[in-house]
C-alpha cells in the first residue's frame, strides 16, 4: 500500500508543478499578505489541530501515542518492521534444551534486530531456569561435602552452547548498531541539509522554473534519505513540511491549484479511512494494528493537508476508527492478562504441592527418589505453565524458589543423617573387595564359584557409600570378580573339548541303541537296558548347547521300557533314576533342590486327594443305601487305590533323591 501511495504522490507533485508554473505572480518579492497567510496551510498547524482534537478526547490519546511511538522506533531501524513476521512464543514454557535450539535457529537470520526481542526473552527464560538449577546443585554440594575447603564447581555443556550462540548474536548486534549509528547520523545530516536548501529556495533572483525543478529534486532526495534517530523523527518531519508549505505560500499558489491539491489529499485520506474500516473486521488484531501503523505513517508523512472545512471532520473520523482498533487490541491484551492470571493460579497450586512434599517425612533412599521425581515433575509443570502478571512475577518466582529450597533442605537433612550408614556400607564393601581379591587366583572352581556369586549378591544388597569412594571401590571389586570369572571361562573352554568328544560318542551310541532288539527274556533284556544306561553315563557330560541328545536317549529308553513286561512303578522308577543321574552329573544343586521341592508338593497333593476321597466314602456309608454300593462308590474306591499306588511311587522317588544327597 505504501509503494502504491508514493506513486500517486509523484503524480500529484507533477500536476502541482504545472499549476504552480502557470500561476506565478509577477511580483515574487512581495511579502506574504495577511490574506495569503490565512490561506496558507502547513503541516504543523494540521498536527496541532489534530492533537487539540485528541486532547479533547483523552481516551483517544493512548491509541495515538502507541502508534506514534511504534512508528518513531521503526523509523530508526527498518529491520524492526520484520520482527512482526516472527511470532513471539511463550518462551517461559520451553525447557532449557528447547530454548537453546530456538536460539540457535534465530541467530541464523541476517536481520539481527528483527529477532532482538525474541532472543532477549529466550535469554531471560534460560537464565531463570539455569540459575535455579545452579542454586539447587550448590545446596546439594554444601550438604554432602566432607572437606570444608572444597569449592563448588558445576559445568553445564548446555550453558556453554547457550553462551556460544548468544555471543554470536551479540557480535552481530554490535556490528549492526555501529553501522546503524553511522547511517542514522549521515541520514539526519542529509535531511537537515534538505531542509536548509528548502529555506534557500525562497530567492526572488532565481528563475522560477529552475526553482521548481530544484524543489522537486529536494522532495525526491527527501524520500530516499533513509532512517533517522527516533528522538529526531517528529521534529525533522514537521520542520520539513513547514518549509514545504512556506515554499507554496511564497509562490502564491493560486486557489484553484490549492483546491486540487486539497481534493487529492482528501481523496487519499478517505481511502485510508475506508481501509481502516475494513481492518475493524480483521480477526488477527495484531496484524490489523500493524497495518494501522503503516496507514498512520502514510497519513502523516506522505499525504498533505486538506481544506479547513474537512480537516477536523476527517481527522476525527480517522482518530475514532483508530480508537476502535486500539480498543480491540486492549480486549486482546485483557484476554492475555486473564490467561496470565490463570497461569498464576496454576503456579500457586504447584508451589503448594512442593511445600507439602517439603514436609512429608520418608525414611529410605528409594522413597526419597520418588519424592525428588515428584518435585522435578512439578518444576517442569511450573515452567510450562506460562507467563503470570508482571506485577507478581518476582513474587511468584521467589515463592517457587523458596518452596524448592525448603524441600531440598529437608531432603539434605535426611542424607546428612544417613552419612553414618554410608560409612558403614563403605566398610562392608571394602571387606567384600578384600575377599574378592583373595579368591581371584583360586583354581578350586567348584568351591570358589558359589562363594564369588554370593559376595556379588551381598554387594548388591549393601546400600550407597560416600560418593567420593564409590567409583574407586566399585572398580576394584569389579576387576577382582572379572579376573576370577575370566579364569573360570578359560577353564570351561578346556573342559569343552572333553564335552564335545562325549557328544560325538553319545551320538554314535544312539545308532547302536536304535538297532538293539529285545530277546524276550525279561531278566536278560532288563540287564541289557541297564548296561546301556551305564555305558551312556560313562561317556560324561556334553556341551550345554547340545543337551538335546539326552532327550533322544530317553525317548529310546521309554520305547524299550514299554516293550518290557515291567510294572508301572518299576518303569517309572527306572526313568526317574536315569533323570536324577543326569542332574547329579551336571552338579546343579539348584535343580536337585527344585526337584525335591516338587516331589514333596506332589506327595502332599496326592495325600490331600486321598483324604478327600475317603471323606466322600464316609458320606455314602451314612446314607440309607450304604449296604448297596453303587457305581459312584465303586469308582471312588478305584480312584483311592490309584492315588495310593501313585503316592508310593512319589515317596520312593523322594527317598531315592534323599539317599543321593546323603552319598
Amino acid at each position: 500500500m505504501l509503494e502504491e501511495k508514493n506513486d500517486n504522490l509523484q503524480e500529484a507533485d507533477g500536476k502541482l508543478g504545472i499549476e504552480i508554473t502557470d500561476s506565478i505572480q509577477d511580483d515574487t518579492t512581495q511579502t506574504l499578505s495577511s490574506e495569503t497567510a490565512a490561506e496558507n496551510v502547513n503541516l504543523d498547524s494540521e498536527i496541532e489541530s489534530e492533537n487539540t482534537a485528541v486532547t479533547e478526547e483523552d481516551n483517544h490519546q493512548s491509541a495515538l501515542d502507541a502508534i506514534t511511538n511504534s512508528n518513531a522506533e521503526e523509523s530508526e531501524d527498518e529491520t524492526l518492521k520484520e520482527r512482526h513476521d516472527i511470532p513471539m512464543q511463550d518462551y517461559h514454557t520451553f525447557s532449557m534444551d528447547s530454548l537453546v535450539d530456538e536460539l540457535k535457529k534465530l541467530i541464523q537470520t541476517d536481520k539481527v534486530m528483527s529477532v532482538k526481542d525474541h532472543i532477549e526473552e529466550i535469554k531471560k527464560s534460560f537464565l531463570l531456569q539455569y540459575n535455579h538449577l545452579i542454586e539447587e546443585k550448590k545446596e546439594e554440594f554444601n550438604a554432602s561435602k566432607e572437606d570444608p575447603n572444597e569449592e563448588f564447581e558445576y559445568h553445564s555443556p548446555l550453558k556453554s552452547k547457550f553462551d556460544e550462540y548468544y555471543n554470536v548474536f551479540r557480535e552481530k548486534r554490535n556490528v549492526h548498531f555501529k553501522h546503524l549509528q553511522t547511517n542514522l547520523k549521515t541520514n539526519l545530516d542529509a535531511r537537515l541539509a534538505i531542509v536548509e536548501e528548502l529555506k534557500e529556495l525562497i530567492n526572488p533572483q532565481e528563475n522560477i522554473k529552475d526553482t521548481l525543478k530544484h524543489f522537486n529534486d529536494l522532495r525526491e532526495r527527501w524520500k530516499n534519505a533513509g532512517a533517522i534517530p527516533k528522538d529526531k523523527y517528529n521534529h525533522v518531519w514537521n520542520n520539513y513540511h513547514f518549509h514545504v508549505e512556506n515554499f507554496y505560500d511564497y509562490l502564491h499558489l493560486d486557489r484553484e491549484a490549492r483546491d486540487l491539491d486539497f481534493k487529492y489529499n482528501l481523496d487519499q485520506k478517505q481511502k485510508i479511512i475506508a481501509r481502516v474500516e475494513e481492518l475493524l473486521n480483521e480477526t488477527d488484531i495484531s496484524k490489523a494494528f500493524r497495518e494501522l501503523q503503516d496507514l498512520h505513517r502514510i497519513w502523516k508523512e506522505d499525504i498533505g493537508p486538506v481544506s479547513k472545512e474537512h480537516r477536523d471532520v476527517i481527522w476525527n473520523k480517522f482518530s475514532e476508527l483508530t480508537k476502535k482498533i486500539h480498543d480491540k487490541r486492549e480486549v486482546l491484551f485483557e484476554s492475555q492478562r486473564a490467561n496470565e492470571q490463570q497461569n498464576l493460579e496454576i503456579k500457586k497450586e504447584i508451589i503448594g504441592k512442593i511445600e507439602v512434599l517439603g514436609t512429608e517425612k520418608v525414611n529410605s533412599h528409594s522413597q526419597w527418589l520418588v519424592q525428588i521425581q515428584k518435585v522435578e515433575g512439578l518444576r517442569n509443570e511450573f515452567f510450562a505453565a506460562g507467563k503470570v502478571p508482571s506485577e507478581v512475577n518476582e513474587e511468584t518466582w521467589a515463592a517457587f524458589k523458596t518452596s524448592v529450597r525448603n524441600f531440598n533442605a529437608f531432603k539434605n537433612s535426611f542424607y546428612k543423617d544417613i552419612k553414618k550408614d554410608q560409612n558403614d556400607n563403605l566398610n562392608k564393601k571394602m571387606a567384600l573387595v578384600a575377599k574378592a581379591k583373595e579368591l581371584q587366583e583360586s583354581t578350586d572352581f567348584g568351591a570358589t564359584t558359589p562363594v564369588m556369586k554370593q559376595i556379588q549378591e551381598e554387594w548388591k544388597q549393601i546400600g550407597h557409600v560416600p560418593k567420593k569412594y564409590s567409583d574407586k571401590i566399585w572398580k576394584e571389586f569389579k576387576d577382582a570378580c572379572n579376573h576370577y570369572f575370566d579364569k573360570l571361562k578359560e577353564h570351561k573352554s578346556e573342559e569343552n573339548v572333553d564335552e564335545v568328544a562325549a557328544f560325538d560318542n553319545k551320538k554314535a551310541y544312539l545308532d547302536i541303541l536304535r538297532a538293539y532288539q529285545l530277546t524276550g527274556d525279561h531278566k536278560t533284556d532288563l540287564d541289557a537296558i541297564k548296561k546301556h544306561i551305564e555305558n551312556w553315563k560313562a561317556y560324561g557330560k556334553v556341551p550345554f548347547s547340545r543337551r538335546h541328545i539326552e532327550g533322544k536317549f530317553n525317548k529310546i529308553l521309554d520305547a524299550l521300557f514299554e516293550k518290557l513286561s515291567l510294572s508301572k512303578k518299576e518303569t517309572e522308577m527306572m526313568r526317574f533314576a536315569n533323570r536324577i543321574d543326569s542332574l547329579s552329573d551336571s552338579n546343579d544343586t539348584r535343580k536337585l533342590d527344585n526337584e525335591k521341592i516338587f516331589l514333596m508338593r506332589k506327595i502332599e497333593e496326592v495325600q490331600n486327594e486321598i483324604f478327600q476321597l475317603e471323606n466322600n466314602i464316609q458320606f455314602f456309608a451314612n446314607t440309607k443305601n450304604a449296604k448297596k454300593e453303587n457305581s459312584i462308590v465303586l469308582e471312588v474306591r478305584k480312584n483311592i487305590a490309584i492315588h495310593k499306588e501313585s503316592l508310593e511311587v512319589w515317596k520312593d522317588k523322594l527317598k531315592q533323591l534323599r539317599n543321593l544327597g546323603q552319598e
Side-chain angles (χ1 to χ4, degrees):
M1 175 176 287
L2 183 57
E3 289 75 16
E4 180 183 350
K5 178 67 194 81
N6 287 338
D7 291 341
N8 292 337
L9 286 174
Q10 287 176 359
E11 294 175 8
D13 291 343
K15 292 177 183 178
L16 282 173
I18 296 171
E19 296 293 342
I20 291 169
T21 304
D22 293 338
S23 62
I24 297 174
Q25 298 182 5
D26 295 333
D27 188 9
T28 56
T29 60
Q30 179 182 352
T31 57
L32 294 175
S33 65
S34 59
E35 179 180 354
T36 306
E39 293 174 356
N40 203 19
V41 180
N42 62 67
L43 186 61
D44 278 344
S45 63
E46 180 185 7
I47 293 173
E48 183 179 355
S49 172
E50 292 173 353
N51 286 341
T52 302
V54 173
T55 303
E56 293 172 355
E57 299 181 25
D58 289 338
N59 57 342
H60 289 188
Q61 190 60 48
S62 60
L64 298 173
D65 287 345
I67 290 174
T68 300
N69 292 335
S70 297
N71 285 342
E73 183 180 5
E74 291 182 3
S75 74
E76 183 176 68
D77 189 351
E78 293 182 353
T79 60
L80 291 176
K81 297 178 183 178
E82 300 178 13
R83 64 184 172 182
H84 303 303
D85 298 330
I86 304 174
M88 178 67 76
Q89 303 186 58
D90 192 356
Y91 295 115
H92 288 275
T93 65
F94 282 38
S95 67
M96 291 172 66
D97 289 306
S98 299
L99 288 170
V100 171
D101 291 341
E102 190 70 13
L103 176 60
K104 181 181 179 182
K105 182 174 69 176
L106 289 178
I107 63 172
Q108 294 172 357
T109 180
D110 292 331
K111 306 294 185 182
V112 63
M113 296 304 290
S114 65
V115 297
K116 175 178 70 73
D117 293 343
H118 301 71
I119 289 180
E120 291 304 322
E121 282 297 313
I122 288 174
K123 177 184 177 184
K124 187 189 303 180
S125 300
F126 180 87
L127 292 181
L128 199 67
Q129 297 187 48
Y130 178 74
N131 291 335
H132 180 57
L133 175 65
I134 290 297
E135 288 179 9
E136 289 190 338
K137 295 295 182 184
K138 192 170 185 178
E139 288 174 0
E140 290 178 5
F141 170 79
N142 290 333
S144 61
K145 73 175 181 178
E146 297 181 356
D147 184 357
N149 296 321
E150 188 177 4
E151 295 184 357
F152 171 74
E153 290 183 6
Y154 182 77
H155 174 69
S156 168
L158 196 62
K159 179 62 163 58
S160 299
K161 277 188 179 181
F162 178 86
D163 291 340
E164 176 188 345
Y165 298 147
Y166 188 79
N167 286 336
V168 172
F169 162 73
R170 188 166 56 186
E171 289 174 8
K172 283 186 173 184
R173 184 186 60 187
N174 292 341
V175 171
H176 174 79
F177 273 135
K178 186 175 180 181
H179 180 70
L180 179 63
Q181 290 302 320
T182 302
N183 285 347
L184 289 177
K185 186 177 185 308
T186 302
N187 296 340
L188 177 61
D189 292 341
R191 289 188 184 273
L192 292 176
I194 291 171
V195 172
E196 290 301 318
E197 288 187 53
L198 276 175
K199 294 179 184 179
E200 298 300 325
L201 282 180
I202 305 177
N203 184 358
Q205 304 301 323
E206 188 174 294
N207 183 281
I208 192 62
K209 290 184 179 180
D210 293 337
T211 302
L212 286 173
K213 183 179 182 304
H214 191 185
F215 175 72
N216 287 328
D217 288 343
L218 290 175
R219 294 184 69 181
E220 189 64 26
R221 283 166 55 194
W222 181 269
K223 189 183 303 181
N224 299 320
I228 62 174
K230 63 182 179 181
D231 60 331
K232 308 292 185 183
Y233 176 73
N234 282 325
H235 173 73
V236 173
W237 273 103
N238 292 343
N239 203 13
Y240 167 73
H241 282 287
F242 174 79
H243 289 293
V244 167
E245 292 300 326
N246 263 359
F247 179 73
Y248 283 154
D249 292 336
Y250 164 72
L251 293 178
H252 298 280
L253 188 65
D254 64 58
R255 189 178 299 277
E256 181 180 355
R258 176 54 62 84
D259 289 344
L260 286 173
D261 192 28
F262 281 170
K263 182 180 179 182
Y264 175 80
N265 294 338
L266 178 63
D267 179 61
Q268 296 303 306
K269 290 189 175 182
Q270 286 173 336
K271 287 180 180 178
I272 287 178
I273 287 174
R275 177 56 187 159
V276 177
E277 288 175 337
E278 293 175 2
L279 290 179
L280 285 172
N281 299 320
E282 172 63 56
T283 55
D284 189 341
I285 305 302
S286 297
K287 178 182 176 183
F289 187 78
R290 290 196 297 272
E291 186 172 341
L292 181 64
Q293 285 179 235
D294 291 334
L295 294 174
H296 267 266
R297 188 182 297 110
I298 294 170
W299 183 290
K300 175 180 179 181
E301 299 175 7
D302 296 343
I303 305 177
V306 299
S307 60
K308 287 183 178 180
E309 64 268 25
H310 297 296
R311 191 176 306 155
D312 290 343
V313 174
I314 197 167
W315 169 253
N316 289 337
K317 188 169 185 180
F318 185 42
S319 176
E320 183 62 36
L321 291 172
T322 297
K323 172 67 166 52
K324 289 181 180 179
I325 292 180
H326 185 267
D327 288 346
K328 292 182 73 174
R329 185 168 175 249
E330 285 300 309
V331 170
L332 175 65
F333 288 162
E334 192 61 37
S335 173
Q336 292 174 347
R337 284 191 285 270
N339 288 337
E340 290 176 357
Q341 188 63 37
Q342 186 176 358
N343 294 341
L344 175 62
E345 296 304 319
I346 293 173
K347 289 192 171 184
K348 283 183 176 179
E349 184 178 350
I350 291 171
I351 291 169
K353 290 180 179 179
I354 296 175
E355 288 174 345
V356 171
L357 290 173
T359 60
E360 290 181 353
K361 190 171 183 180
V362 292
N363 298 313
S364 70
H365 174 65
S366 60
Q367 289 177 327
W368 270 111
L369 289 178
V370 173
Q371 297 293 87
I372 292 169
Q373 199 169 27
K374 287 180 181 178
V375 171
E376 185 64 24
L378 290 170
R379 182 166 65 176
N380 292 336
E381 289 179 25
F382 182 89
F383 287 120
K387 288 184 178 180
V388 299
S390 57
E391 62 271 15
V392 296
N393 184 54
E394 291 297 328
E395 176 186 342
T396 307
W397 175 242
F400 171 71
K401 288 200 297 183
T402 300
S403 64
V404 174
R405 187 179 294 112
N406 290 342
F407 171 81
N408 287 334
F410 190 52
K411 174 196 68 177
N412 293 338
S413 66
F414 167 80
Y415 285 104
K416 283 181 181 178
D417 293 339
I418 65 171
K419 273 190 177 180
K420 182 180 179 299
D421 294 338
Q422 289 187 345
N423 288 327
D424 291 342
N425 294 338
L426 176 63
N427 293 331
K428 292 177 183 177
K429 286 191 173 183
M430 289 178 69
L432 292 180
V433 169
K435 194 171 184 181
K437 286 182 176 180
E438 179 184 340
L439 295 173
Q440 66 180 352
E441 300 294 344
S442 173
T443 56
D444 185 1
F445 299 109
T448 306
T449 300
V451 178
M452 290 295 284
K453 290 182 178 180
Q454 178 62 33
I455 65 175
Q456 285 181 324
E457 287 299 318
E458 289 180 20
W459 182 280
K460 293 177 184 178
Q461 300 303 319
I462 299 173
H464 290 275
V465 301
K467 188 176 181 180
K468 183 177 180 180
Y469 305 102
S470 177
D471 293 341
K472 180 176 180 294
I473 64 168
W474 164 243
K475 185 178 184 306
E476 291 180 10
F477 181 72
K478 183 177 67 172
D479 290 346
C481 291
N482 288 345
H483 181 81
Y484 171 78
F485 284 106
D486 286 343
K487 288 184 64 176
L488 176 63
K489 186 176 180 181
E490 291 175 5
H491 175 71
K492 286 187 175 180
S493 297
E494 294 173 359
E495 288 184 338
N496 283 343
V497 176
D498 296 335
E499 291 178 357
V500 170
F503 174 78
D504 292 337
N505 291 332
K506 285 187 175 182
K507 185 178 180 182
Y509 196 78
L510 283 180
D511 294 333
I512 297 173
L513 197 58
R514 289 190 185 101
Y516 173 73
Q517 297 292 329
L518 296 175
T519 63
D521 180 72
H522 179 78
K523 185 177 184 308
T524 301
D525 291 337
L526 183 60
D527 290 342
I529 292 174
K530 289 180 178 180
K531 182 62 177 176
H532 283 307
I533 293 174
E534 290 175 2
N535 292 340
W536 183 267
K537 290 180 180 179
Y539 288 127
K541 292 192 298 182
V542 299
F544 182 82
S545 59
R546 301 183 183 185
R547 292 290 300 278
H548 60 276
I549 199 170
E550 300 293 340
K552 292 181 179 180
F553 175 71
N554 288 331
K555 284 184 179 180
I556 296 174
L557 285 183
D558 289 345
L560 292 175
F561 285 144
E562 288 178 3
K563 292 178 182 179
L564 286 175
S565 57
L566 291 174
S567 68
K568 183 177 180 182
K569 179 177 180 181
E570 287 178 312
T571 302
E572 190 70 25
M573 291 304 297
M574 287 189 71
R575 288 174 177 170
F576 179 74
N578 183 54
R579 182 168 181 274
I580 293 303
D581 287 341
S582 298
L583 291 177
S584 60
D585 288 342
S586 66
N587 292 322
D588 194 336
T589 56
R590 183 176 57 84
K591 288 185 177 180
L592 290 172
D593 290 340
N594 289 341
E595 185 70 23
K596 188 182 295 183
I597 293 171
F598 170 77
L599 293 173
M600 293 172 68
R601 287 178 178 173
K602 292 299 296 184
I603 290 171
E604 185 179 0
E605 288 177 8
V606 175
Q607 286 176 334
N608 290 337
E609 188 68 24
I610 292 172
F611 178 76
Q612 183 63 44
L613 291 172
E614 289 177 343
N615 279 346
N616 292 342
I617 290 292
Q618 292 294 327
F619 172 77
F620 284 109
N622 293 329
T623 60
K624 295 180 179 179
N625 299 322
K627 293 181 180 180
K628 297 180 180 181
E629 291 188 345
N630 55 30
S631 59
I632 296 176
V633 174
L634 293 175
E635 184 66 26
V636 172
R637 292 189 183 280
K638 183 178 178 182
N639 283 340
I640 291 173
I642 292 171
H643 279 79
K644 285 184 176 180
E645 183 180 349
S646 173
L647 179 62
E648 290 302 315
V649 174
W650 291 117
K651 286 181 176 180
D652 287 346
K653 286 181 179 180
L654 181 60
K655 182 178 179 182
Q656 184 174 341
L657 186 59
R658 284 173 172 167
N659 290 337
L660 180 66
Q662 291 174 358
E663 294 175 2

